[in-house]
Structures are given as C-alpha cells and as structure tokens.
Amino acid sequence: MASRHVTRVAPPSSRLSRRVLFIFSLSLCFTYLCYSLLYCAHPVMQRPLGFAEDRACYLLQLGPPKKLMHKSQYCGDSEQPGHGQDRDRDRDRDQGAPLRASPPAHRPVTRGAPAPPPRPQDRGANGTSRLGNKRLPRAIIVGVKKGGTRAVLEFIRVHPDVRALGTEPHFFDRHHDKGLDWYRSLMPKTLDGQLTMEKTPSYFVTREAPKRIFSMAKGTKLVVVVRNPVTRAISDYTQTLSKKPEIPTFEVLAFKNRTLGLIDASWSAIRIGIYALHLENWLQFFPLSQIHFVSGERLIIDPAGEMGKVQDFLSLKRIVTNKHFYFNKTKGFPCLKKPESSLPRCLGKSKGRTHVQIDSDVIEQLKEFYRPYNIKFYQMVGQDFRWD
C-alpha cells in the first residue's frame, strides 16, 4: 500500500506571530547596537545619567549644531571631576608643555558651576596664580589715642586700593627688637598698586618711633587724628575706668594740687594732649608735607569731607564719599554702610560710650592749661582747630 505524505500548513495567525517576534528581536538588537556606539563615542554617556539635568544635557548635545554652540549655558561642566584635567594633562604632554598639577583631592567640585578663571591681576609674571605679597606699610596712622583713629582706619579700609591691618601691631614702640621681617609678616597681602596701612596711636607719644619709622622708609606717610585735648583726656579716663573701676577719680589724677590749680602733666591722659610737644619730635625726621592731621570733631560732623582729604593725602582716588556714611544719633557718630544697602555698620560698643561727668571748674582749668600748647600746635601745622 503506497504511503501517503501529509503536509500540515500552519495557520495564518501563527506565521504572523513569528514574523512580529523576528522583527521585534531585530529592532532590539539594532537599538542595543546604536546605544553601544553612542556610549563609546559620546563623552556625556561616559557617566551614568543619574540626574535629570544630565539627561537634559545629553539631549541638548545631540541637538542641532547651533544649540551645541550654547551648550555651556544649560549644562555647565559636563565632565566628571578630574576627567578634564586628565585629558588636558595628556594633551600638554603630547605637545611638550609642562605638566599641570591636579587639584587637591579635598577640593569640592560643584556640579554645573565651574570655578571662574583667575583674574589678570591675580596672575604673576610666570603665569602662576598670585593673591599678592606682604609689604611694609607705606602709610601709618600714628596717633592719637581716643582721637578717632579707629574710625579713620575703618573708613579708609572701604577703599579698594587700601589694605590695612585691623589690629595694632605696636612694632615701633613695643616689638621693634623682633625685626622688620616679623613686622612685614603681620601685614595683609596686597596686589601691585594697593596701599598697605596700619594704625597704632601710641606711636605719636613714643620718643623712639619717628626715628624707627624713618629708618624703615623715610617716605612713609603719617596720619595723626587730633581732638580737643580736654575731651580726649576725659574719653581716655572713661575707657580706663570701664576696665579698672577701682582707679581714683578724674580730679584726683588730673591735679597735683587742685586748690592751687596745678595740673599733673605726667599723667598720660593729660600728657598725650600736649600735641605740640610730641610733634616737635616727629618734625626732626619728617617734613609737614608727609604728615596729615585729621580733625576728630569734623570727622563726626563731616566724615566724607575729612576722608576726602585723607584720600588726597594718600594719593588715592576719592571713592569713600557721602554714600558710605550714616549718622547714628544714639552713638553720636557716623556709621559705615554699603552704597547699595541701607543697613549701617557701626564701630564697636566701646566707641561712643557716655563720658563721666566732670565738674565745670575742672574743665575750665584744663582749658587754661592746654591753651598755650594749642596755640603753638596751630602755628606749627598751619591750621586752627578751634578748641578754645
């Protein structure tokens, strides 16, 4: 009996399913191949797209060439920390350039916010970064105590071309034996064109200070802030009393014999105010053209005017002006403020404290004592401060 071969024909639905499965598999392989090529070729794909901004940057970078020209404004730095430096270092080595050091490991890297390039004034002659050098001061506020020296220092520090030491170094009266290198090490760093300054009010009454400053630099400019010597003495005593409440009264310290009206000029609070006596010592080494006198009274009434004269004396552009000051009625003196802000920045609590009450007859006796010295001082400096 002849055998009969039977050919089974698959239903149409089965053939269609296999065809769809084949096409889907082929598409999946093609997609995987494209993704692999993109991963190897594109730098952005060399790190996981774990953040939404990464995926957005990737899409932007795959966009038209015109968008790629402005990629940085959307994506920032698209490299992992260190990857860009490694490629730059490899390129420099290939071109024969010296290798650049990698940044410290502890330096934080902000995603999407690359550090700004160094400013031209922060670059040295060899192209390396430089924040300035420590230099000896070319101008010093040498006096006087309780005259307004702190206010002058804080006001002039607003000027961008001035860098000033905030504390009093007392180099020319207490620490001169430590040498100029030690003194220089205390100064702030300055760039070319900036002026280094410091203030130590006790220099004005230190006999050795003028010669020592002259030996350092004979061209040093000197600023002296003077104030009515009677008011200055009372302010000096008030400050001392706040630290030593047990000291005798002002009247006891100011007089050798109050009945006879004999003033004790050996007491420092009184002696500092004999400005003519101390100025004679300075004029042995420095001409008047290198000494500028600031009126402590006018500094309170017109701080911008007095600071304008200080800036002229220091050969600085008048940048510190009226817009930098705000008068504090509570403290009784001007405070600093930024031009774009209305919030003042006043001096410390020790400034503007209420003076102790002194008998009017004591004040009159002090005025009589200082009058001849004041007149001589006016003649020496060619300026009448009107303290009488």
Side-chain angles (χ1 to χ4, degrees):
M1 184 177 179
S3 62
R4 185 170 54 185
H5 296 281
V6 179
T7 303
R8 295 183 179 182
V9 179
S13 59
S14 178
R15 291 199 302 273
L16 180 61
S17 299
R18 284 199 295 270
R19 183 176 301 173
V20 170
L21 181 62
F22 174 78
I23 294 174
F24 176 79
S25 301
L26 185 62
S27 300
L28 185 62
C29 293
F30 182 77
T31 301
Y32 179 79
L33 178 61
C34 291
Y35 183 85
S36 300
L37 291 174
L38 285 172
Y39 184 88
C40 296
H42 207 284
V44 173
M45 296 303 297
Q46 294 179 5
R47 68 174 179 178
L49 299 181
F51 295 86
E53 64 266 26
D54 292 337
R55 290 192 291 271
C57 290
Y58 172 57
L59 294 176
L60 283 170
Q61 290 174 340
L62 292 182
K66 291 183 179 180
K67 287 188 177 181
L68 287 177
M69 294 174 63
H70 306 285
K71 173 180 70 67
S72 60
Q73 74 182 78
Y74 301 101
C75 302
D77 187 4
S78 62
E79 298 176 336
Q80 287 184 351
H83 285 186
Q85 290 89 342
D86 292 340
R87 281 201 301 274
D88 292 341
R89 189 161 52 248
D90 294 340
R91 183 182 66 245
D92 290 344
R93 182 174 58 246
D94 294 340
Q95 295 176 355
L99 295 181
R100 291 174 289 184
S102 299
H106 65 274
R107 182 178 180 180
V109 179
T110 304
R111 181 182 297 275
R119 300 173 299 175
Q121 61 265 38
D122 291 343
R123 307 294 294 184
N126 58 357
T128 58
S129 177
R130 186 181 66 184
L131 298 178
N133 297 312
K134 292 190 175 186
R135 298 177 172 91
L136 293 171
R138 291 188 288 128
I140 304 176
I141 302 174
V142 297
V144 299
K145 181 183 178 183
K146 306 309 296 179
T149 57
R150 172 55 62 178
V152 172
L153 180 72
E154 293 302 322
F155 295 166
I156 198 62
R157 291 175 79 179
V158 175
H159 201 292
D161 292 335
V162 173
R163 294 296 309 280
L165 183 64
T167 58
E168 298 175 5
H170 286 280
F171 175 67
F172 296 105
D173 58 351
R174 301 179 188 172
H175 306 295
H176 191 253
D177 59 329
K178 294 184 178 180
L180 287 175
D181 288 339
W182 177 85
Y183 183 48
R184 183 188 289 108
S185 70
L186 302 178
M187 298 299 133
K189 290 184 177 181
T190 55
L191 301 173
D192 292 341
Q194 288 185 316
L195 178 70
T196 303
M197 291 187 67
E198 69 113 321
K199 89 155 181 91
T200 305
S202 56
Y203 290 163
F204 189 67
V205 297
T206 301
R207 187 161 188 81
E208 299 81 12
K211 182 178 180 180
R212 290 171 175 175
I213 295 176
F214 183 84
S215 298
M216 177 191 71
K218 62 182 180 180
T220 304
K221 292 187 175 182
L222 310 171
V223 177
V224 183
V225 190
V226 290
R227 183 183 185 184
N228 186 320
V230 177
T231 309
R232 197 221 65 82
I234 297 173
S235 178
D236 196 339
Y237 173 79
T238 302
Q239 182 184 53
T240 305
L241 183 65
S242 67
K243 299 176 182 178
K244 301 177 180 179
E246 71 282 359
I247 63 173
T249 64
F250 180 88
E251 291 80 3
V252 170
L253 295 172
F255 290 93
K256 289 182 178 179
N257 188 317
R258 184 175 179 182
T259 304
L260 299 176
L262 297 179
I263 303 295
D264 188 358
S266 64
W267 183 34
S268 63
I270 298 294
R271 188 171 181 81
I272 291 174
I274 308 177
Y275 303 137
L277 176 66
H278 307 298
L279 182 59
E280 287 178 346
N281 189 30
W282 288 89
L283 293 179
Q284 294 180 24
F285 298 90
F286 294 95
L288 273 177
S289 59
Q290 283 180 232
I291 307 175
H292 179 71
F293 298 92
V294 178
S295 169
E297 287 79 18
R298 286 198 293 270
L299 186 65
I300 296 174
I301 299 172
D302 181 21
E306 283 300 296
M307 292 310 300
K309 297 175 185 177
V310 172
Q311 292 170 92
D312 293 344
F313 171 69
L314 298 176
S315 301
L316 298 171
K317 182 180 179 180
R318 286 198 176 194
I319 292 179
V320 183
T321 59
N322 275 318
K323 64 183 179 182
H324 291 93
F325 299 102
Y326 164 85
F327 189 81
N328 187 305
K329 294 182 180 180
T330 302
K331 281 184 169 288
F333 57 77
C335 299
L336 278 172
K337 67 176 182 180
K338 295 181 179 179
E340 68 276 7
S341 171
S342 60
L343 297 177
R345 180 171 65 86
C346 295
L347 301 181
K349 295 180 180 179
S350 63
K351 308 301 179 182
R353 62 164 63 95
T354 303
H355 292 174
V356 296
Q357 293 296 318
I358 306 297
D359 292 341
S360 58
D361 62 323
V362 173
I363 294 178
E364 288 301 320
Q365 287 175 302
L366 287 174
K367 286 182 178 179
E368 289 297 323
F369 170 78
Y370 281 119
R371 183 170 287 111
Y373 296 111
N374 290 343
I375 294 174
K376 184 177 181 181
F377 180 66
Y378 300 162
Q379 294 171 346
M380 293 174 71
V381 303
Q383 185 177 349
D384 187 350
F385 290 91
R386 301 183 180 278
W387 292 326
D388 299 316

